[in-house]
Amino acid sequence: MNATFDDLIKLVQEYNPSEVEVITKAHDYADYLHKGQVRQSGDAYITHPVNVAYILAEMQADADTICAGLLHDTLEDTNITKEDIVENFNKDVANLVDGVTKLAKMNFSSKEEHNLANTRKIITGITSDVRIIIIKLADRLHNMRTLQFKSEFKQKENALETMEIFVPLAYYIGAYRIKSELEDLSLRYLKPSMYQRIKERKLKLEEESDDCLQEMLFKIKAILNDSLVPNEIKVRTKNIYGIYKKLNNGERIADIHDLFSLKIMVQEVEECYKTLYLVHKLYHPINDKFKDYICNPKTNMYQSLHTTVFGPQERLVQTQIRTFDMDLVASFGLTAYWAINKGDARNIMQDDLKNKYQFFKSLVDINSMFKDNQEFVRQVKSELFSDKIYVYTTKGEIMEMPKGSTPIDFAYKIHTDVGNTMISAMVNDEWVPFNYELKNKDRVKIITDDLSYGPRMEWEDIAFTSYAKKRIREFRGR
Ligand code: MN
């Protein structure tokens, strides 16, 4: 879809009518500054910032964020300065535009010192205001939606960069709606024929399953209504990239247990569990496919109950049960706070980012750990922008670790003292050697002894994360 300025204003009017004026001012200013510039599609340049602002308004973003979305390319592509934006709007808007502009210059693969220092500044800048990431994600989403006008080389390059940097960022802040659209758009350009094949197959399966899903929806709705649980139920299919990943792992499309989901939304947390019982009463669950992400949220704060049941016509159907607020968080991630916590959303977002989101903590840790810029960038890349595994602590907390991590890395991630006094490790109640490679869902227990000799020399080679390696070196006084 291509949103116009009128669409944007209509949307803002719905949730924040008092800010229409300043947003109109930002639009007129950007329109004036970009005058004469044309996108490769042939559209006037202003259509791009308007659509970026529209994506942000769909998340009910605050006025500063919408204004920054409208102005996000003015520092780069027109003659104004940051000070001009401060004067015409305010410091927050100027900082947001500046942050987004810098983020575009981030370069993970450069080895030059000034690039590395710049990348570091950008990455740590993100942590001062998470809205920078959100505007950048909206910018990338609109650019990916209009990628057909670029050269094939540019398409592939942008798609790769999207997968490498922006999909993980969207995941870290829990913005699943943006994440899955970015994934599908990337796949469409990286593997066009594969993308088309899966897309057609998915459409066909959706048609074939429609009766079954509608029947389930109807029955679940009836039983919830009878039990006086107010609800809303939606049907969703896994995104194309999600299916592609499963196929790549050797699964057949018909065997994917969560290919189709019914998303059941209710008001209260207690009602989620009541709904679970009612669903299980109607349809037999597959026992080992049940997940409680309400009491055990994902590291990006996603919360929901997942249960896969035997639906009609021998079809497996996943049901996702959550409250309406949890559903907002699942779609928009951290940014859902705009819709839930009117007024103080900005501060609550920033606080929660610090306290609850593991990627943020890792980022702060890495920043304080590594003085050398090249090491810092390498570490961010290998810890935060690579394959990850999720393991449990003995208290049942979920820890996010880069793939390749060992019990030594786990121990140092818990606390430096735990690493330094570790004498042995257990995984799923079995003793494991220190070079054991941790796997998804492992339960890890570290045995410590205050009288231990401390980390042994060979641990430095066994540890996977440079974080642990560095702590070991520090202990050994090197
Ligand atoms: Mn842009």
Side-chain angles (χ1 to χ4, degrees), residues 36-37 63 66 103 119 128 145 161 189 191 227 249 261 354 378 430 455 462-463:
Q37 296 174 1
I66 305 274
L103 202 56
T119 300
S128 69
R145 281 179 183 170
E161 189 187 50
Y189 291 101
K191 301 202 179 255
S227 311
N249 284 340
S261 299
K354 263 184 219 147
R378 191 194 310 134
E430 308 263 0
I462 298 172

Side-chain angles (χ1 to χ4, degrees), residues 39 45 48-49 52 69 72-74 77 100 104 135-136 138-140 142-143:
R39 300 198 88 211
Y45 196 84
H48 168 60
V52 170
H72 81 270
D73 277 328
T74 55
D77 298 339
V100 176
I135 299 169
K136 188 64 209 174
D139 175 40
R140 178 50 62 115
H142 185 248
N143 282 334

Side-chain angles (χ1 to χ4, degrees), residues 15 54-61 134 137-138 178 332 335-336 338-339:
Y15 73 92
Y54 188 84
I55 293 167
L56 293 164
E58 285 179 314
M59 306 177 205
Q60 307 200 4
I134 294 153
L137 285 172
I178 292 182
F332 298 129
T335 55
W338 272 317

Side-chain angles (χ1 to χ4, degrees), residues 137 141 144-145 162-163 166-168 170-171 174-188 195 202 236-243 330-331:
L137 285 172
L141 183 56
M144 290 297 291
R145 281 179 183 170
T162 297
M163 288 305 294
F166 296 101
V167 166
Y171 174 78
Y176 281 93
R177 193 184 285 194
I178 292 182
K179 173 181 173 274
S180 57
E181 193 181 341
L182 285 177
E183 285 173 339
D184 280 4
L185 286 165
S186 300
L187 187 68
R188 182 174 149 194
Y195 174 88
K202 174 175 149 157
R236 117 195 200 295
T237 322
K238 207 172 185 58
N239 72 342
I240 296 175
Y241 180 79
I243 298 172
S331 301

Side-chain angles (χ1 to χ4, degrees), residues 182-411:
L182 285 177
E183 285 173 339
D184 280 4
L185 286 165
S186 300
L187 187 68
R188 182 174 149 194
Y189 291 101
L190 289 172
K191 301 202 179 255
S193 60
M194 176 69 90
Y195 174 88
Q196 275 312 329
R197 266 214 326 268
I198 298 176
K199 190 177 166 187
E200 281 157 26
R201 192 89 167 80
K202 174 175 149 157
L203 261 169
K204 196 157 160 268
L205 281 166
E206 275 170 345
E207 273 167 31
E208 285 171 18
S209 314
D210 194 49
D211 285 351
C212 152
L213 292 165
Q214 291 305 327
E215 179 192 327
M216 276 184 81
L217 190 152
F218 182 79
K219 281 194 177 164
I220 294 173
K221 196 154 199 58
I223 200 169
L224 286 175
N225 290 347
D226 284 348
S227 311
L228 303 176
V229 178
N231 64 84
E232 196 183 319
I233 307 180
K234 285 184 177 159
V235 177
R236 117 195 200 295
T237 322
K238 207 172 185 58
N239 72 342
I240 296 175
Y241 180 79
I243 298 172
Y244 164 75
K245 248 175 45 185
K246 295 265 179 181
L247 296 179
N248 240 5
N249 284 340
E251 280 185 51
R252 289 183 338 135
I253 195 163
D255 294 339
I256 299 175
H257 79 96
D258 58 352
L259 184 63
F260 299 110
S261 299
L262 286 177
K263 194 166 81 174
I264 308 169
M265 290 159 288
V266 296
Q267 304 277 0
E268 307 292 333
V269 176
E270 284 83 358
E271 289 168 351
C272 293
Y273 291 91
K274 185 170 177 185
T275 303
L276 177 73
Y277 169 65
L278 294 170
V279 168
H280 283 178
K281 239 171 75 169
L282 282 175
Y283 302 101
H284 285 290
I286 303 182
N287 274 346
D288 62 355
K289 290 288 181 218
F290 170 67
K291 288 189 183 123
D292 185 344
Y293 291 121
I294 291 182
C295 290
N296 252 350
K298 290 194 179 183
T299 49
N300 61 11
M301 295 314 289
Y302 172 84
Q303 287 188 296
S304 186
L305 298 176
H306 287 187
T307 182
T308 300
V309 299
F310 293 91
Q313 302 164 18
E314 301 179 5
R315 276 173 206 279
L316 295 181
V317 178
Q318 186 193 53
T319 60
Q320 306 180 346
I321 305 166
R322 51 188 178 243
T323 65
F324 288 101
D325 278 357
M326 288 174 191
D327 187 59
L328 267 179
V329 175
S331 301
F332 298 129
L334 202 51
T335 55
Y337 294 23
W338 272 317
I340 299 171
N341 301 292
K342 287 258 179 251
D344 204 26
R346 157 93 219 277
N347 290 329
I348 298 172
M349 255 161 67
Q350 211 57 37
D351 272 357
D352 257 20
L353 186 65
K354 263 184 219 147
N355 301 323
K356 295 186 183 158
Y357 288 70
Q358 274 187 29
F359 104 94
F360 183 89
K361 230 181 129 269
S362 304
L363 207 53
V364 172
D365 279 351
I366 296 169
N367 189 37
S368 68
M369 231 32 223
F370 297 96
K371 293 286 158 272
D372 181 69
N373 290 332
Q374 181 157 9
E375 253 190 279
F376 170 83
V377 171
R378 191 194 310 134
Q379 183 64 11
V380 168
K381 211 176 149 188
S382 80
E383 269 219 23
L384 297 177
F385 294 91
S386 61
D387 285 346
K388 274 158 289 283
I389 53 155
Y390 297 87
V391 298
Y392 289 104
T393 68
T394 45
K395 291 191 186 114
E397 281 159 326
I398 298 171
M399 300 285 275
E400 186 175 88
M401 314 274 306
K403 192 170 183 292
S405 292
T406 67
I408 299 176
D409 299 290
F410 177 86

